[in-house]
Amino acid sequence: AAKVDLAEGGRVIKRIERPGAPGEHPQPGSRVRVHYVGKLEDGTIFDSSVARNAPFVFNVGIGQVIAGWDRGVASMTRGEKAVLTIAPEYGYGNRAIGPIPANSTLTFEVELIDFDPPRELQDALVRMGIALLIIAMAFVYFWRNRPEAEMAGAGLGNQQ
């Protein structure tokens, strides 16, 4: 399996278990759906979306999750399965969180199920689509009402 260093000095390592579909990666703000199993260094599972049968959904790259996840998931493609090994400074640092001791290196088996473009991009595409529709409607209106069309006595393409 290929290993990729996603942070200086091996603080976030991604080991690709199954490549995803070739193509784009989620961009900052993309809404992603992942399945994961989180483990401590001794192999103890501390959390699992797989066990709950409920994918975890969040917006990548904007600080909603630990920094190691933001880096790791942003580097994945749709359908990819990888193991992320995350040093404490990209995880929970010197804080103990539930069953996770302070200063823990964590391992996550992560599958990027799917993702949507960032909300701003979705909004921009909708606005662009509306603008193109208005332009097309205006073109048809002006084409049908041009002076040559009225003189020809017909609509589109019936000039004699």
Side-chain angles (χ1 to χ4, degrees):
K3 283 188 177 183
V4 182
D5 187 349
L6 300 174
E8 55 282 340
R11 292 185 176 100
V12 179
I13 299 289
K14 177 175 83 165
R15 187 178 75 233
I16 300 169
E17 298 291 312
R18 183 185 73 211
E24 66 196 67
H25 301 273
Q27 300 301 307
S30 293
R31 186 172 176 83
V32 298
R33 284 172 288 295
V34 300
H35 260 311
Y36 70 92
V37 176
K39 297 179 182 179
L40 302 175
E41 285 181 281
D42 66 4
T44 302
I45 295 174
F46 62 84
D47 194 13
S48 173
S49 69
V50 176
R52 289 190 300 274
N53 196 28
F56 180 57
V57 179
F58 68 100
N59 295 85
V60 74
I62 60 172
Q64 290 183 345
V65 293
I66 59 175
W69 264 53
D70 269 342
R71 287 189 183 219
V73 173
S75 75
M76 298 174 74
T77 58
R78 194 174 273 112
E80 182 177 324
K81 267 190 173 180
V83 175
L84 301 176
T85 303
I86 301 173
E89 53 271 40
Y90 285 86
Y92 295 104
N94 60 9
R95 300 176 314 221
I97 305 288
I100 303 170
N103 300 307
S104 292
T105 294
L106 305 173
T107 301
F108 293 92
E109 298 168 3
V110 181
E111 177 183 9
L112 178 56
I113 299 167
D114 200 6
F115 62 89
D116 300 324
R119 187 73 194 166
E120 305 81 49
L121 178 58
Q122 289 179 16
D123 292 344
L125 291 173
V126 167
R127 287 191 300 273
M128 189 183 318
I130 291 170
L132 288 173
L133 181 61
I134 291 169
I135 291 168
M137 291 171 59
F139 176 80
V140 168
Y141 173 81
F142 288 113
W143 179 261
R144 286 190 174 161
N145 293 299
R146 70 189 192 287
E148 307 90 61
E150 290 176 15
M151 286 187 270
L156 296 170
N158 286 337
Q159 295 183 0
Q160 297 178 358

